[in-house]
């Protein structure tokens, strides 16, 4: 609805709801499954239609006019003068009026609200009008004059309001029949959120371009410049933008005032118009524009006639997404906790209301099934910024950090649709990382919308997801979890695009407390030990420098450190201290008044220091290298000290944790004792002086050309020499790590290929660092000792899982693990001890899937060990043994049974990579949602957006964005799109171009073939085989480039070396 396009007057072109009405196709109509409604039962369709009916939706002007007529009749009534103005208790002698009446209201106040546009719904006007008369009847005794007036006026209002509703409903039915309003929701023209553009200029990179301001666009509408940055561009000079280069003259000037309307679809049976979002219509499946579409109401009629109540198709849903060990652990844990919470709440309700417990359960069960899926698991590389790398090069600070990026999505089935409610990004830095990122987990981004049913379960479920995740990573050997509690700015989104208007963004203190409440529950269950913050942990010791701070992707620290170093290099250090800014201004005024230069106790005069030749604070690199105080830490400490509580650090209860890291408040300890919470963690035994001295000698002999970096708990790790991003050999100072045996499928997990590959460059020392060629001679082969899940996840551990043995002291033989009872899964392919992961065994066979980043720095260490390995107490395996082991590992497959009885594979998310182009990072997902109007600001839109995201997840190779025809507003999915190079946003489909009645565009149109997404036809097995082949070739290339052995046993290595030599 709304104004029809100007071309509507052209003969042969008719418009309705902004859509071109094409001649009705009378031939055979192909069947396409282009709506999710087809897989719904009749009951689910009716629930969906009911959720769309939000009552009469009137435009503000019409609402004001219609309600104004009803209100005028009341005010003009013979008794209206009594209720036209607010009650004055003083004048009328009513001292207790406000004690009885808590919400005063009168017809005059309603008139003001109506004229000022306060009311947006008829129900709001109705409520306030009833309140006027209800207050009068409440305060005045029955039978009094005012009571009778109020009752008479209330009756008149009810009669007038009923007449108004009948009139409006009749008008609404006429509109729906004529196609002027949506058949399902009754709304007319609905607009999307205005598009958000970010500047690509140098002055304000990644900043929003203001609404209604002018900007410049280029590069197929992918790059934007604000007016100021456009002026700074040089004429005639090419702008390099990734794969393309454009000039300033090619940029098109536009105004940021675009609005986009929701698209419509017409039912081929009743010929009524419906919003595509209301109809859950998937335009990507509407490839043949002649295919038949039936609206939900027509679908119900047809089903009832034929006697079919269930859906006619099986569109893949959230449950059909790939399962991983992590997602299975999270989903089973959350469902178990939800069941326990429901039992507890139902029992309390039953006792309080005296009803049967089954009835209480039924009253509390309001939502659909919760589905949790991991959609990405990718190895990523974080390169250290140049200034940071340069300043701390003398400490061999790493050039890069490798980490595993994982994304978790939570769905709930609402009215038959799996709706996305929660998203979580986490970054995992495992034990192969150099300090300070070793064994760190970073909770990067978290976002949600409030559509969960029941809504009161939101916090409970989201907390349980985080608790289960932290429990999972601490069992896998991660030592610390880092959280930056930072809410988004107004109008910004972290993961889910466009939030509901009534969903409030939490303030800093509220969000921080939300995380703390979750971590306190982790402490109660024994998942987490000590809770602290970055300031108290890293800035208390003045001898420490910035190399001890974890360096995480997207965190506050890397960017702020780089800015501080930049200010130091430019001589600006101390001028703009965040915590001393006001003091500095005062000092300048005092200096001018007294005419003195020099310094004050509160700060330094940088200009005077420069004039006298004194070095700016922090710029003396020699002092830093000699152990002087790091000025970067001073300034950074001043910056984060006021907000230190937002940088949360939690020590996880992994097996290598120290006693100090596991300290908890007395209240937590008492809670554990009261509730019988048993902590399986054992403190690390202290080393004897002799062993400490031996370890010290070994460390010093290895560190002659390198400097050790302390971890956050102060323990020295093995000396590390960083060259080109490679972390050289050095054993972990921590003890053996427990392995998670609480696999939700009932099978025990195996060691990930990623961990096994990392073990090839580790020795077996658990107490002190040692050289790769000097493994401890007295260290026997330990037995596998699986560790159970914590008390909070006890339901996830099979009853037959043996109890873990305590961590052995250095040099001692650990007790063998108890044999599994008969009937349990064989452990030979699923359980690998943490001692193996820590490097107790000698060289492992090559693993099938390992990340590119890890491979890049490992082959040199492997080659070194291959030539210098001293005989270990563990006998080295023969080639035949290795082949058997490898075949066993490749044969390990875990399966579970889904709700439909199908056998589904569960992959190891640490061993296999899950690549999803539009979910590998949050910005890519936001771009997908913004570009396709996948919004979450209303439930109807959240349903449609979730449906489309699921379609993309099941068709990952399909195009992420498609163009719409400017004339007919249909998406161009096949053939050619005719694009105007002059008008940036003009595209026409082939049918409109060939239609002689369509007005000709003034510029020459360029035909561009539309990507058909044929790659989507690849099966999952073919996709994995292609990825595996690429990874194997890259592995061989990296191996050959770093292998120095003239007698390398790999024949392919020799061939690749020959190719590399030939290429040189």
């Amino acid at each position: 609805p709304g104004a029809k396009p100007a071309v509507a007057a052209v003969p042969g072109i008719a418009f309705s709801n902004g859509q071109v009405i094409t001649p009705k196709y009378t031939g055979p109509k192909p069947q396409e499954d282009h709506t999710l409604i087809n897989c719904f039962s009749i009951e689910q369709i009716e629930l969906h239609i009911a959720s769309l009916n939000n009552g009469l939706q009137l435009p503000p002007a019409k609402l004001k006019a219609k309600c104004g007529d009803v209100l005028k009749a009341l005010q003009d009534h013979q008794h209206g003068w009594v209720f036209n103005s607010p009650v004055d208790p003083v004048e009328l002698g009513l001292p207790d009026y406000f004690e009885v009446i808590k919400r005063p209201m009168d017809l005059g106040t309603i008139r003001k609200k109506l004229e000022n546009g306060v009311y947006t719904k008829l129900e709001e006007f109705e409520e306030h009008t009833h309140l006027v008369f209800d207050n009068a009847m409440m305060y005045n005794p029955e039978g009094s004059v005012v009571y009778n007036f109020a009752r008479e006026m209330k009756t008149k209002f009810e009669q007038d309001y009923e007449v108004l509703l009948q009139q409006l409903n009749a008008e609404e039915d006429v509109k729906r029949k004529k196609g002027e309003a949506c058949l399902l929701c009754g709304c007319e023209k609905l607009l999307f959120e205005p598009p958000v553009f970010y500047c690509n200029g140098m002055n304000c990179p990644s900043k929003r371009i203001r609404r209604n301001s002018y900007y410049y666009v280029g590069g197929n509408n992918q790059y934007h410049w604000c007016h100021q940055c456009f002026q700074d561009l040089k004429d005639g000079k090419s702008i390099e933008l990734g794969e393309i280069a454009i000039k300033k003259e090619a940029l098109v000037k536009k105004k940021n005032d675009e609005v986009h309307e929701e698209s419509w679809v017409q039912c081929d049976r009743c010929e009524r118009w419906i919003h595509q979002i209301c109809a859950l219509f998937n335009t990507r499946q509407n490839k043949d524009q002649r295919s038949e579409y039936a609206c939900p109401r027509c679908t119900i009629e047809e089903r009832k006639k034929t006697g079919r109540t269930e859906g006619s198709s099986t569109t893949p849903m959230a449950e059909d997404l790939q399962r991983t060990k992590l997602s299975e652990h999270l989903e089973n844990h959350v469902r178990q906790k939800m069941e326990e919470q429901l039992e507890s709440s139902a029992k309390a309700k039953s006792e309080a209301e005296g009803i049967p417990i089954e009835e209480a359960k039924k009253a509390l069960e309001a939502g659909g099934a919760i589905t949790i899926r991991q959609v990405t698991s990718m190895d990523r590389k974080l390169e250290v910024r140049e200034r940071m790398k340069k300043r701390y090069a003398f400490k061999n600070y790493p050039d890069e950090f490798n980490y595993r990026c994982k994304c978790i999505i939570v769905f709930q089935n609402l009215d038959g649709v799996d709706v996305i409610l929660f998203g979580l990004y986490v970054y995992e830095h495992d034990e192969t990382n150099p300090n300070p990122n070793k064994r760190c987990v970073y909770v990067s981004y978290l976002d949600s919308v409030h559509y969960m049913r029941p809504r009161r379960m939101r916090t409970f479920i989201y907390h349980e997801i985080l608790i289960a995740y932290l429990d999972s990573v601490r069992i896998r050997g991660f030592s610390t979890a880092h959280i930056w509690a930072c809410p988004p700015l107004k109008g910004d989104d972290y993961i889910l695009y466009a939030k509901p208007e009534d969903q409030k963004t939490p303030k800093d203190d509220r969000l921080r407390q939300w995380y703390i409440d979750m971590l306190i529950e982790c402490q109660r269950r024994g998942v987490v030990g000590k809770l602290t913050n970055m300031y108290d942990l890293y800035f208390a010791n003045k001898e420490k420098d910035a190399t001890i701070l974890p360096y995480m992707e997207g965190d506050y620290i890397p960017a702020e450190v780089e800015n501080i170093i930049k200010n130091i290099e430019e001589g600006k250090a101390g001028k703009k201290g965040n915590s001393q800014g006001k003091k500095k201004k005062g000092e300048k005024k005092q200096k001018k008044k007294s005419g003195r230069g020099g310094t004050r106790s509160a700060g330094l005069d940088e200009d005077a220091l420069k004039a006298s030749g004194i070095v700016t604070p922090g710029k003396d690199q020699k002092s830093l290298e000699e152990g002087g105080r790091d000025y970067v830490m001073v300034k950074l400490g001043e910056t984060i000290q006021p907000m230190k509580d937002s940088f949360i650090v939690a020590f996880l209860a992994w097996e290598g944790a120290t006693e100090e890291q596991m300290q908890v408040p007395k209240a937590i300890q008492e809670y554990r004792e009261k509730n019988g919470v048993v902590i399986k963690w054992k403190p690390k035994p202290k080393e004897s002086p002799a062993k400490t001295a031996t370890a010290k000698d070994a460390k010093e002999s290895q560190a002659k050309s390198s400097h050790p970096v302390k971890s956050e708990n102060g323990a020295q790790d093995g000396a590390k020499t960083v060259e080109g991003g490679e972390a050289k050999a050095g054993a972990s100072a921590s003890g053996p790590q427990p392995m998670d045996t609480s696999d939700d499928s009932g099978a025990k997990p195996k060691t990930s290929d990623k961990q096994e590959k990392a073990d090839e460059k580790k020795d077996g020392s658990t107490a002190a660092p040692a050289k790769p060629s000097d493994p401890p001679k007295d260290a026997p082969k330990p037995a596998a000792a699986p560790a159970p899940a914590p008390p909070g996840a006890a339901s996830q551990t099979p009853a037959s899982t043996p109890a873990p043995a305590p961590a052995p002291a250095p040099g001692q033989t650990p007790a063998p693990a108890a044999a599994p009872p008969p009937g349990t899964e064989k452990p030979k392919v699923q359980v690998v001890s943490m001692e193996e992961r820590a490097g107790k065994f000698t060289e492992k066979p090559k693993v099938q899937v390992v990340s590119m980043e890890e491979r890049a720095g490992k082959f040199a260490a492997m080659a070194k060990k291959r030539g210098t390995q001293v005989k270990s107490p563990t006998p080295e395996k023969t080639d035949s043994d290795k082949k058997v082991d490898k075949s066993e590992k490749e044969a390990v497959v875990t399966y579970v049974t889904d709700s439909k009885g199908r056998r589904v594979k569960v992959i190891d998310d640490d061993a296999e990579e899950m690549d999803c182009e539009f979910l590998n990072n949050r910005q890519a997902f936001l771009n997908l949602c913004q570009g396709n109007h996948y919004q979450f600001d209303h439930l109807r839109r959240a349903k449609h957006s979730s449906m489309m995201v699921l379609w993309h997840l099941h068709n990952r190779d399909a195009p992420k964005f498609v163009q719409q025809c400017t004339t007919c507003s249909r998406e161009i999915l096949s053939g050619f799109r005719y694009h105007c190079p002059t008008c940036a946003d003009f595209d026409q489909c082939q049918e409109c171009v060939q239609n002689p009645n369509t007005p000709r565009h003034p510029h020459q149109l360029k035909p561009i073939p539309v990507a058909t997404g044929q790659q989507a036809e690849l099966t999952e097995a073919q996709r994995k085989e292609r990825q595996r082949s690429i990874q194997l070739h890259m592995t061989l290339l990296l191996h050959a480039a770093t292998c120095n052995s003239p007698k390398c046993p790999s024949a392919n290595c020799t061939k690749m070396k020959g190719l590399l030599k030939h290429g040189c």
Side-chain angles (χ1 to χ4, degrees):
K4 295 182 179 179
V7 293
V10 177
I13 300 293
F15 282 82
S16 179
N17 295 315
Q19 314 287 314
V20 171
I21 301 178
T22 55
K24 193 170 184 65
Y25 179 71
T26 57
K29 296 185 177 181
Q31 296 297 316
E32 286 185 334
D33 196 11
H34 40 41
T35 174
L36 196 61
I37 296 294
N38 292 341
C39 67
F40 286 6
S41 64
I42 291 180
E43 182 182 1
Q44 288 175 326
I45 299 175
E46 291 174 344
L47 283 173
H48 174 67
I49 294 175
S51 70
L52 296 172
N53 188 10
N54 296 321
L56 291 167
Q57 303 291 324
L58 301 182
K62 188 173 183 180
L63 178 68
K64 180 179 177 180
K66 295 294 184 181
C67 294
D69 293 341
V70 175
L71 183 61
K72 186 176 185 301
L74 293 174
Q75 288 184 308
D76 292 343
H77 192 272
Q78 59 179 345
H79 304 319
W81 63 272
V82 179
F83 309 99
N84 282 342
S85 58
V87 174
D88 188 344
V90 177
E91 182 180 349
L92 300 176
L94 308 174
D96 62 342
Y97 183 80
F98 291 121
E99 294 180 5
V100 178
I101 303 303
K102 302 299 182 183
R103 297 175 59 202
M105 186 56 63
D106 63 278
L107 299 180
T109 301
I110 293 176
R111 169 70 67 183
K112 292 179 181 178
K113 288 179 177 288
L114 195 60
E115 290 176 351
N116 294 330
V118 175
Y119 299 127
T120 58
K121 297 180 180 179
L122 281 169
E123 292 78 10
E124 297 173 353
F125 169 75
E126 179 191 14
E127 179 191 0
H128 278 186
T129 308
H130 276 301
L131 184 62
V132 173
F133 308 123
D134 290 341
N135 285 346
M137 296 170 68
M138 178 187 296
Y139 186 79
N140 296 281
E142 186 176 356
S144 64
V145 175
V146 176
Y147 182 93
N148 292 335
F149 285 175
R151 185 172 59 183
E152 182 179 345
M153 295 285 287
K154 183 178 176 70
T155 303
K156 175 175 175 53
F157 170 69
E158 289 174 348
Q159 294 173 351
D160 292 348
Y161 188 73
E162 181 64 26
V163 171
L164 174 64
L165 290 182
Q166 291 176 0
Q167 178 188 351
L168 292 174
N169 283 323
E171 293 176 0
E172 195 74 20
D173 290 340
V174 172
K175 284 185 178 180
R176 295 190 186 196
K177 289 179 181 179
K178 290 183 176 180
E180 297 177 2
C182 176
L183 173 65
L184 300 180
C185 72
C187 297
E188 300 179 27
K189 183 176 182 179
L190 294 177
L191 301 178
F192 287 113
E193 281 286 308
V196 179
F197 301 114
Y198 296 92
C199 180
N200 293 102
M202 298 299 293
N203 295 329
C204 53
S206 301
K207 286 189 178 180
R208 280 190 175 193
I209 297 176
R210 294 195 313 274
R211 188 72 178 154
N212 295 317
S213 64
Y214 287 97
Y215 70 101
Y216 297 82
V217 62
N220 197 20
N221 294 334
Q222 295 181 6
Y223 303 96
H224 311 86
W225 286 263
C226 65
H227 183 74
Q228 180 182 354
C229 292
F230 175 79
Q231 298 296 332
D232 294 338
L233 296 176
K234 296 182 179 179
D235 296 332
K237 186 176 180 181
S238 295
I239 309 169
E240 299 294 333
L241 299 168
E243 299 178 355
I244 63 173
I246 57 178
K247 294 185 178 181
K248 179 178 180 179
E249 294 75 17
L251 302 181
V252 179
K253 184 178 181 180
K254 299 181 69 176
K255 190 175 183 179
N256 188 13
D257 59 354
E258 298 177 33
V259 290
H260 296 275
E261 181 185 350
E262 284 191 15
S263 297
W264 299 72
V265 61
Q266 188 180 29
C267 176
D268 288 318
R269 298 180 184 177
C270 65
E271 297 187 353
R272 297 187 182 181
W273 289 91
I274 308 165
H275 291 125
Q276 291 184 6
I277 288 178
C278 295
L280 294 176
F281 188 82
N282 186 350
T283 56
R284 300 301 181 90
Q285 296 289 94
N286 190 30
K287 296 179 182 178
D288 193 326
Q289 305 289 349
R290 302 170 301 172
S291 60
E292 183 183 36
Y293 167 71
C295 70
R297 293 194 184 278
C298 292
T299 301
I300 292 177
E301 291 179 6
E302 181 192 7
R303 296 262 190 97
K304 288 181 177 180
K305 288 179 181 178
T306 58
R308 291 185 294 110
T309 59
E310 297 302 318
S312 58
S313 68
T314 54
T315 302
M317 302 287 278
E319 187 184 18
D320 302 303
L321 293 174
Q322 178 66 62
R323 297 171 184 244
T324 68
K325 289 187 175 181
L326 176 59
S327 69
E328 287 293 283
H329 172 67
L330 298 180
E331 183 175 275
N332 291 338
H333 173 89
V334 168
R335 288 183 175 178
Q336 176 68 25
K337 288 298 178 182
M338 288 179 64
E339 185 64 29
E340 294 175 5
Q341 180 75 3
L342 178 62
E343 288 282 348
S344 175
S345 301
K347 185 177 180 182
K349 185 178 179 66
S350 175
E351 294 175 354
E353 301 179 10
I355 58 177
I357 192 167
E358 293 301 325
E359 183 180 341
K361 273 188 180 181
K362 190 174 181 181
L364 293 172
E365 287 178 338
I370 296 289
T371 304
I372 302 177
R373 288 293 180 268
Q374 180 179 353
V375 291
T376 61
S377 182
M378 292 289 294
D379 281 317
R380 304 262 295 275
K381 183 188 298 182
L382 172 60
E383 295 186 359
V384 178
R385 302 192 184 190
E386 287 301 322
R387 290 186 174 90
M388 177 77 175
K389 190 161 50 176
K390 179 181 177 182
R391 181 176 177 87
Y392 299 102
F394 72 98
K395 300 199 75 170
N396 293 316
Y397 194 74
D399 292 334
E400 62 190 23
F401 294 98
N402 298 326
Y403 63 95
R404 191 86 164 176
C405 173
K406 298 181 179 180
C407 178
I408 309 295
I409 300 293
V410 177
F411 303 84
Q412 185 180 27
N413 191 276
L414 303 178
D415 308 325
V417 185
D418 287 334
V419 181
I420 298 175
L421 301 180
F422 177 89
L424 172 67
Y425 279 91
V426 292
Y427 301 152
E428 297 178 357
H429 297 254
D430 60 16
E431 72 277 6
T432 63
N433 263 269
N435 282 322
N437 285 15
K438 190 173 185 177
R439 299 185 186 276
C440 291
V441 170
Y442 183 50
V443 179
S444 178
Y445 289 100
L446 180 153
D447 203 358
S448 68
V449 285
H450 65 28
Y451 302 123
M452 180 171 285
R453 299 175 186 168
R455 189 175 294 188
R456 56 182 172 80
M457 293 291 287
R458 285 180 67 214
T459 294
F460 174 79
I461 291 176
Y462 299 159
H463 275 183
E464 289 299 332
I465 291 172
L466 290 172
I467 292 170
Y469 173 73
L470 293 178
D471 179 45
S472 170
V473 294
R474 69 101 187 170
I475 291 174
R476 286 163 46 211
F478 290 87
S479 62
T480 55
H482 297 260
I483 301 172
W484 177 18
C486 177
L489 298 175
K490 184 178 180 181
D492 285 346
D493 298 299
Y494 278 161
I495 300 174
L496 304 178
Y497 175 51
K499 302 293 191 305
E501 288 186 6
D502 58 339
Q503 178 171 326
K504 297 180 180 178
T505 301
K507 302 295 183 183
D508 289 17
D509 54 348
R510 185 176 180 85
L511 179 62
R512 184 167 59 246
Q513 190 59 46
W514 190 89
Y515 280 115
I516 292 298
D517 291 343
M518 179 270 298
L519 292 171
I520 288 175
E521 184 62 27
C522 287
Q523 285 184 321
R524 291 172 177 169
R525 302 184 191 182
V527 176
V528 164
K530 181 180 178 182
L531 294 181
T532 182
N533 58 73
M534 291 192 67
Y535 184 84
D536 294 341
L537 184 61
Y538 299 117
F539 292 85
N541 188 346
K542 297 182 179 180
E543 296 180 359
K544 293 182 178 180
D545 56 37
T547 59
I548 66 164
L549 301 174
Y551 201 89
M552 307 286 191
E553 174 74 34
D555 193 25
Y556 177 84
I557 299 299
E560 188 63 21
V561 167
E562 200 74 2
N563 289 335
I564 293 173
I565 298 175
K566 178 182 178 183
N567 289 337
I568 290 174
E569 293 176 351
E570 296 177 355
K572 299 178 182 178
K575 275 192 171 183
K576 297 181 181 180
N578 290 324
S579 62
Q580 297 182 356
K582 294 182 179 179
K583 291 184 180 180
K584 294 290 183 184
K585 291 180 182 178
E587 287 157 18
K588 289 182 179 180
K589 291 180 180 178
Q590 188 175 7
K591 171 183 160 186
K592 290 181 180 180
K593 184 176 181 180
S594 62
R596 292 182 57 188
T599 62
R600 296 283 176 181
S601 58
L604 298 173
D605 188 332
E606 305 296 336
D607 297 330
L609 288 176
K610 285 183 179 180
S612 61
I614 300 176
V615 179
T616 305
K619 204 167 185 178
D620 189 357
Q621 184 73 13
K622 186 176 180 181
S623 172
L624 178 63
E625 295 180 9
E626 292 176 354
R629 190 172 184 188
D630 189 359
Y631 192 73
V632 171
M633 290 291 281
V634 176
K635 299 302 296 180
L636 185 60
E638 293 175 357
T639 302
I640 72 170
Q641 196 276 334
M643 51 181 178
K644 66 176 186 178
D645 293 332
S646 296
F647 298 94
I648 304 170
V649 181
F651 287 95
L652 303 177
W654 71 297
E655 188 142 331
T658 64
E659 190 169 358
E660 178 186 359
Q661 294 169 353
M662 291 298 101
Q663 290 178 355
V664 294
K666 184 178 179 181
I668 298 295
Q669 194 62 41
E670 292 175 352
Y671 174 89
R672 292 176 178 176
E673 295 172 359
K674 180 180 178 181
N675 293 273
V677 179
V678 180
I679 308 301
K680 300 299 182 182
W681 168 83
K682 297 291 182 182
K684 288 176 61 180
K686 293 183 179 181
E687 301 172 352
S688 63
K691 289 187 176 181
T692 304
T694 304
K696 185 176 180 181
D697 294 341
K699 179 179 63 180
E700 290 178 353
S701 64
Q702 188 178 0
K704 288 181 180 180
S705 60
S706 63
H707 298 266
V709 180
K710 289 187 177 182
S711 64
E712 51 272 15
N713 59 16
Q716 291 276 2
D717 283 338
K720 302 179 186 298
T721 302
V722 181
E723 296 176 1
E726 298 180 6
K728 296 298 181 181
S732 171
S734 305
Q737 308 161 25
M739 186 66 185
D740 185 2
T741 61
S742 57
D743 184 40
D744 298 306
S745 63
K748 300 176 183 178
K750 69 182 183 69
T751 302
S752 69
D753 293 343
K754 174 182 172 183
Q755 296 284 7
E756 292 181 11
K757 191 71 178 177
D759 292 341
E760 294 185 356
K761 65 174 192 175
K762 285 178 170 279
D763 62 7
S765 174
T766 61
K771 296 179 181 179
S773 58
D774 296 328
K777 297 180 180 180
D778 58 344
K781 176 182 177 181
S795 60
Q796 307 304 314
T797 307
S800 60
T801 304
Q812 295 181 356
T813 304
T824 59
E825 294 286 341
K826 293 183 180 181
K828 65 178 181 177
V829 295
Q830 290 289 346
V831 176
V832 182
S833 67
M834 292 303 297
E835 286 83 359
E836 277 189 75
R837 295 177 63 173
K840 286 285 184 179
F841 290 156
T842 54
E843 183 180 349
K844 300 283 193 301
K846 285 206 305 181
V847 184
Q848 179 178 341
V849 179
V850 181
S851 68
M852 294 292 99
E853 291 82 355
E854 283 188 272
R855 295 189 186 110
K858 293 183 179 178
F859 291 105
M862 290 167 56
K864 182 178 179 182
K865 289 181 69 177
R866 194 177 286 116
T868 60
Q869 186 73 34
V870 179
K871 186 177 181 180
S872 171
T874 304
E876 187 172 356
K877 297 181 181 180
T878 62
D879 292 339
S880 60
D881 293 335
K882 292 181 181 179
K883 290 179 181 178
V884 173
D885 285 352
K886 184 172 181 179
S887 64
E888 286 181 353
K889 292 181 188 299
E890 291 177 347
V892 173
V893 180
T894 305
Y895 289 90
V896 296
T897 303
D898 66 5
S899 62
K900 300 176 183 177
R902 298 173 300 186
R903 196 162 172 258
V904 182
K905 180 181 177 183
V906 179
I907 68 172
D908 187 345
D909 52 284
D910 287 322
E912 299 187 42
E913 290 199 343
M914 300 176 63
D915 186 10
C916 183
E917 180 185 349
F918 58 90
L919 272 165
N920 280 339
N921 61 76
R922 72 172 189 95
Q923 191 58 53
F925 184 63
L926 277 175
N927 292 342
L928 174 79
C929 293
Q930 290 172 353
N932 292 298
H933 301 299
Y934 298 159
Q935 297 182 190
F936 293 83
D937 51 346
H938 298 282
L939 178 58
R940 54 187 288 277
R941 285 178 173 172
K943 288 180 179 180
H944 184 267
S945 299
S946 301
M947 176 194 75
M948 294 306 302
V949 171
L950 280 169
W951 183 85
H952 283 289
L953 285 169
H954 289 292
N955 300 271
R956 301 195 181 195
D957 294 324
K960 307 302 178 292
F961 304 95
V962 295
Q963 279 72 28
Q964 278 189 332
C965 176
T966 308
T967 304
C968 66
S969 299
R970 292 183 298 190
E971 292 186 342
I972 308 172
L973 300 173
S974 60
F976 289 85
R977 66 178 176 94
Y978 292 81
H979 177 73
C980 175
T982 307
C983 306
D985 291 335
F986 189 90
D987 290 277
Q988 274 189 330
C989 64
Q990 196 165 353
E991 184 177 346
C992 290
V993 170
Q994 295 173 354
N995 187 348
N997 295 322
T998 304
R1000 300 296 93 188
H1001 189 68
H1003 306 129
Q1004 181 69 31
L1005 299 181
K1006 178 183 178 182
I1008 300 175
V1010 177
T1012 57
Q1014 291 296 328
Q1015 291 181 342
E1017 302 301 326
L1018 288 176
T1019 64
E1020 186 67 21
Q1022 290 173 329
R1023 186 183 293 107
K1024 288 184 177 180
E1025 181 60 28
R1026 184 177 63 179
Q1027 182 182 11
R1028 176 179 174 272
S1029 176
I1030 294 172
Q1031 289 179 335
L1032 289 176
H1033 280 84
M1034 291 299 298
T1035 302
L1036 177 61
L1037 178 63
L1038 291 169
H1039 169 71
T1042 55
C1043 178
N1044 298 321
S1045 173
K1047 298 181 180 180
C1048 181
S1050 172
N1052 289 328
C1053 177
T1054 306
K1055 294 179 181 178
M1056 184 60 72
K1057 284 180 180 177
L1059 292 174
L1060 292 174
K1061 185 176 181 181
H1062 176 73
C1064 296

